[in-house]
Each structure stands twice: as C-alpha cells, then as structure tokens.
Amino acid sequence: MAIVAELRDRDVPIRDIAVVARDLDSYEQSLFRAAIQYGIAPVFWRQLYVTRTRPYALVESVCEALDADELDRRTLLRPLEHRWAPSNAPSDDWPVDPATLYRVKHALPQGARPTEEWIEVLETIDDADARFTTFVEWLADVPEPNPETVTSVLGDVVEAYADHGLAVTRESDSPALLDTETDARAVVRGRTLVQQLRHKFADRLQEETLERSWGDVADLANVIATQRPGRREHSNARALDILEANDVWMLDVQYVIAVGMTADEWPRATESVVPPEFQEVVLRGDDDTSKLAPRTAWTDGRDRDQFLDVFRAAGTGVILTRHTQTVDGDDVHSSPFLDHLDLQTVAESHRQQLLSTNRELPPEIQDFLEERAEATANE
Amino acid sequence: MGDAYVRHQELTKRLTLHVGDEEHLFERARCCSQPTELVVAPVELHRRNVQRRLRERNAPKDAFAFDDPEGVSKGILSAAGEPNKAIDRIDRLAQVRSILTELAEGDMDPLSLPPGVSSHDSRYIEQIRTEVEAVTNFHPERIEVWKHAADGLYAPIDSETGEILNLALAVERRLQNRTAKATSETDLVRRATRTIVSSSGSAWTEAYPEIERVTLLGLSGLSAPHADLLHALLATTSIDVHVHFREGSGAYLKRRMPALLDIEGPGQVVFE
C-alpha cells in the first residue's frame, strides 16, 4: 500500500493501479487495514457477504421478532436499529434515529412479553413517539408465514429500506460512496433473496422439512444467502481495485502489484476426490484415455495461467511482493514460478525507506514511471 | 478408422484453437444492427473485463453478444420449446442428502463409499458427482474408458477409482429420477447438446439466427460437457468456432482438444 500511496503522490491515476492476491479470503482484512492506513479507498472485487449487510440484518431481525411468542426489548427494537420503515412512509420521518432508539430502549422494562403487551407499555414511555406504535402494531398484524406472505412482508421491508435506509448510508458516506455502493448491492441481493425464499419455502413446506414459522424462514434465508454464487462485484472508478488473480484476465492496467508470491500460494494444491494415480493416467491421455477431459486443477496449469495473466495485464510494470514468515514465525518460501524470471529486486534499504515516515518510492520502481513517461511522450 | 478420420477432419475444419491472442476480438468490433459473434466465457467477470477493454478502446460492442455456456444452453432449449430450468445447488445438496439416506437404508444397489467418506457428507458426494461429470459428461464411451483405465491401476486404487465412478452415476441417476428439471446447470448444457444434434442444428439456428461465429474465451480447462456442446455445434451447423486457451495451460489443452471430440453422439448419457 505504501507503493500505491507513492504512485498516487506522483500523479498516477488510481485506475492505473491494481492489487492482485491469489485469494482474497486470506488477504482482504490486512489489505483493507493497510489501505485505510495510507488513506486509500479500496474496492474488493469479490462477492458480497450478504449476511454481513444491513438489509440482510434487517430481514433477519424482522423474522426473529416475528418468530418469538414473547420478546424482550432488544429483539423488539432490533428491526428499528436496522432502519425498518413502513411501506409508503413519508421520507422525513423514517428511519427512527439512533439517539431516540437508545433512549426508548433504555426506558423500556426488562423481560419478555407478547407484542400486544408491548403496545401498551410503549404508550407509557415519553420518548416513544407514534413511530414506535406504528412498528409494533405492524409486527402484531403480520400474518403467519406462507410462501406468499413471506414474499410480500419481507419484500415490503426490503423496498422500504431502499427508500429510507439507503439514504442514511449515503449521507454519512465518504466521497467515493463505497458504503453506499455496497448497501445498494445488498438491496438488490435482498430482493433476489426474497424471491428465492418464496419458492424454496413452498418446496420445503411441501417436503415437510420446514415448519411454518418465521424462525424457519430466517434459517432458510441464511442457507440461501451463504451459498457462494461465484458472482463477483464490480469496480468503482474512484477506488483502488483489489482483485483475485483469476479475475485479472484480459485487463489492461499500468501497474499491477501482486501480493503473496509464496510457494504455498503459487501454485496452490487443489483438493480433488479423484486419486492422484488416476489423475496421472487422465492427464497423460494415452490411447483411449485421451477421450477423458483432463482437469487443469489437477496440475499447476491454472496457477500458471493466472500468474501469466498478472504479467499480461500490466502495461508498464509488475511489482511482486511476498511475506517471509507466517504469523507463527515459520519461514515462507518464494514461489517456484519466480525462479526462471529475470526480476529486479528492490534493495532492503529501499524497502525500509518506503515503509518509513520519509516514504520514498524505491528507485527500481521509479524507473517504471520514467519508462511510462517516455512511452507516453512517444505516443 | 478411415471413417472416423474423415469425420474428425470435417469436425475440426471450422474449429480454430488459439493460445492467448484474445485481442484479435477487438479488431472485429464494428457498428452493426445485430450481433454476429457470440462471445462465451464461463466467468462473468471475464466477460465484463472484455467489455471494459472494448469501452477503453471506444470500440462498439454491437457485433458481440456475451454469455456463458449455461446461458447459451438455456437459449437453445427455450428456442426449441423445451424446459430450461435446473435445480440449484441448495436443492441439489438437499436431494443428495436424502438419496444417501435412501441408499444407506435400503439394500437396493449396495453402494460402498471410498475409504474415509461419510455417507452423510453430501458436499463431498456432490464434488464426486461434479468431478466425474466434468471428466466424462456421463457419456457411455467415456464411462467405459474410465472403467478400463481404473482396472489398469494397482490395488486398492483400482477399486477406489471404480467406486467413485459408480457412486457418481448412482447419485446422478437418482437425481434425474427425482426431478423433471435439469439436475444442474451442466445438465442443461447436456440437454442443449442433445437438442442441437437431434434437430440437426436447427435448434441452434432458431436461437441464434444471426450468429456466424462462436468465440470461447478465458478457459483454464475444457470440461467434457463443454467439449460436447462444441462438438454438436461443429457437427450440425456451419458456424465457425474459435477457442482461446490461456497461456499457462493452453499448449497442453490445445493438444488434448481433438481427442475430446472423438466420440459418437455428444450429449448421450449412460442412463438411458
């Protein structure tokens, strides 16, 4: 990230830089922290974890509140914390602001009680304005779940979030609107989720593998939301693209920074259910076995493809980095893919300088910038 | 042998295999009223990357339609008036789980699992099914080849490899019996392949009347189901097919591709 920050300081547009990792699962956290530390807005090209988004949390909390025969104040108010709003509500009133919520929550008595009882309790609380009654009455009126009511009730909840909740995110967002983008994507995913719920809930009821309860609706929503659809998210023009190596194919970016060039990750062994001896036979493909389709996942073919794609994508320069130790202090070796390449190594002193407070771009990388400047001048 | 050779020659006449060189696609960008080239890439983001490159070059996208092999298969099936719905992974796993219970309870078709595999591990069983599917497309000739090759291994790997095959076939057969829908998106590809062959190519022409060329991109491998789909197109239509492999694995896959087309009746399965 220090390199990215330095490149930015030298007027390299953010769109001309990409950071590539083999697998974002293990790098997202640390790259995110590093980016923030250097004041860079990162955008990860990866699938959205729907279950970590607010619209999903809202749907889940509504199901939980509906599921309980008696609910405590936490469960009762959680949907409002996730910005519940009634459908067709005037936009200025909703969602309920956190400060009011906080006061009401602490004014409410402990202990679980049925929804109807909460309506009476709320009338005795000064801070609990009409919006609280609207919400709890809505809860009380929601019918038993069936495929149609699940779609209409939760569909309305998601749409009301799109109308009111999303606006709150936008107001408090950074100029690059990264959170808004995530939130908006989550709304889209929430809509799909509600549609899928309708069909799956119907199927499961028919199979009698689920009960007609809002708790089971929440469980099913979780099953659907945690499936990996293999769909990736898209990029944002004002943020740094951080992507997985397989996704860099065919891109054309001036500077590509690849992290984690270690022997464990390049290549990375893939689990297969087929015995290695049989894999070998199919890969060799003598005689009739050539009719069987070999899996490149059985070799390092895919790894090599992605490794070469990193180089192909870079218009001006590729910067490769790796860690030398694990968090447990074990030594980490460099990828064998690097062995036969003519690479220029950044001197340790230059690396230290880059990470110091007097940050400076290593001369080896400065050369890239000069080459780029010359190339542009010649165009 | 002679016949097979001629057949093969005919098939590969309009098939061009490349390693890399995807940029040639940009040269074919032009303004026109209908797309004439179908760009097929299995990864959605790869299709977006191609579109992004076209945008960066200010090149028109008009000549291209983009999709993945499963989407193309759905298009073919729906143009032919056939059902094009598949059960999704969530439902499939639920089905596999209940198939496993059924197999364990009844003594119908006793089924021994590979060592160390629990009969309740539906994800593992599903991985076996998809891996066998990718290698064989459940095609009778390839199934025979698998059995034969498994027999040639030493014990106990020979029986283990054979059991993996039997397990995958048993699960797929029961999945097919349980649902009228396709058992997976890959099953849609297989159904579309059969539809192209049985309609002598008219199912394709119905679905994609303007398309003259199919370009398959971004492949790090070529599964038997995808090879069979291309096979059906090459055997029954007059479109040109271009396959661009990637640079690391391309030379190997290019060498292996012709033999993948050397089967009779692409899309046929052992279950009938």
Side-chain angles (χ1 to χ4, degrees), chain A residues 15 45 196 200 203-204 207 223-224 227 230-235 241 245-253 271-275 277-279 281-285 288-298 301-302 304-306 308-309 312, chain B residues 20-23 26 43-46 48-50 52-53 56 88-91 94 123-124 127-128 131 134-136 141-142 145-146 149-150 153-154 157 160-161 164 217-224 246-249 252 256 259-260 262-263:
Chain A
R15 301 296 295 150
W45 286 34
Q196 284 178 302
K200 299 246 183 284
D203 289 352
R204 297 293 192 278
E207 291 167 9
V223 171
I224 298 171
Q227 284 294 316
R231 187 161 57 192
R232 304 304 170 90
E233 306 306 335
H234 62 132
S235 74
D241 284 335
N246 189 39
D247 299 335
V248 82
W249 177 85
M250 275 300 267
L251 284 184
D252 183 16
V253 187
E271 295 273 315
S272 168
V273 293
V274 176
E277 293 81 355
F278 186 66
Q279 293 177 19
V281 169
V282 177
L283 287 169
R284 219 170 38 237
D288 268 358
T289 50
S290 64
K291 294 181 183 188
L292 298 177
R295 311 270 289 149
T296 12
W298 294 340
R302 254 189 356 196
R304 285 190 185 278
D305 282 343
Q306 297 179 14
L308 292 168
D309 289 341
R312 262 186 84 191
Chain B
D21 281 344
E22 294 87 354
E23 278 86 358
F26 304 138
V43 180
E44 186 188 13
L45 209 69
H46 287 170
R48 284 207 219 143
N49 287 355
V50 172
R52 173 168 161 178
R53 287 289 296 280
E56 284 169 359
D88 62 18
R89 184 175 154 84
I90 302 170
D91 288 340
R123 281 167 201 271
Y124 188 86
Q127 198 189 341
I128 288 182
E131 228 169 315
V135 174
T136 65
E141 267 183 69
R142 294 203 189 93
V145 172
W146 180 303
L153 295 166
Y154 52 83
I157 310 289
E160 195 188 321
T161 308
I164 284 174
L217 292 171
L219 298 179
S220 250
L222 190 65
S223 68
R246 284 156 81 176
E247 294 196 348
S249 59
Y252 171 74
R256 291 299 301 269
L260 292 183
D262 189 18
I263 53 144

Side-chain angles (χ1 to χ4, degrees), chain A residues 4-82:
Chain A
V4 178
E6 269 298 296
L7 290 171
R8 295 284 294 127
D9 284 352
R10 289 160 191 258
D11 294 331
V12 174
I14 197 85
R15 301 296 295 150
D16 284 354
I17 312 169
V19 174
V20 176
R22 188 63 213 267
D23 173 3
L24 283 178
D25 276 343
S26 40
Y27 283 93
E28 181 170 354
Q29 292 288 333
S30 33
L31 287 174
F32 183 78
R33 278 197 299 272
I36 298 305
Q37 187 190 335
Y38 284 95
I40 298 160
V43 55
F44 292 89
W45 286 34
R46 63 171 306 149
Q47 151 195 332
L48 189 68
Y49 282 110
V50 180
T51 48
R52 293 183 204 160
T53 63
R54 197 184 290 274
Y56 179 83
L58 172 61
V59 166
E60 196 179 37
S61 63
V62 165
C63 289
E64 277 168 12
L66 288 171
D67 187 48
D69 292 331
E70 298 193 343
L71 55 174
D72 59 19
R73 60 184 191 189
R74 258 172 72 108
T75 316
L76 178 75
L77 296 183
R78 175 111 3 109
L80 290 177
E81 287 170 4
H82 293 308

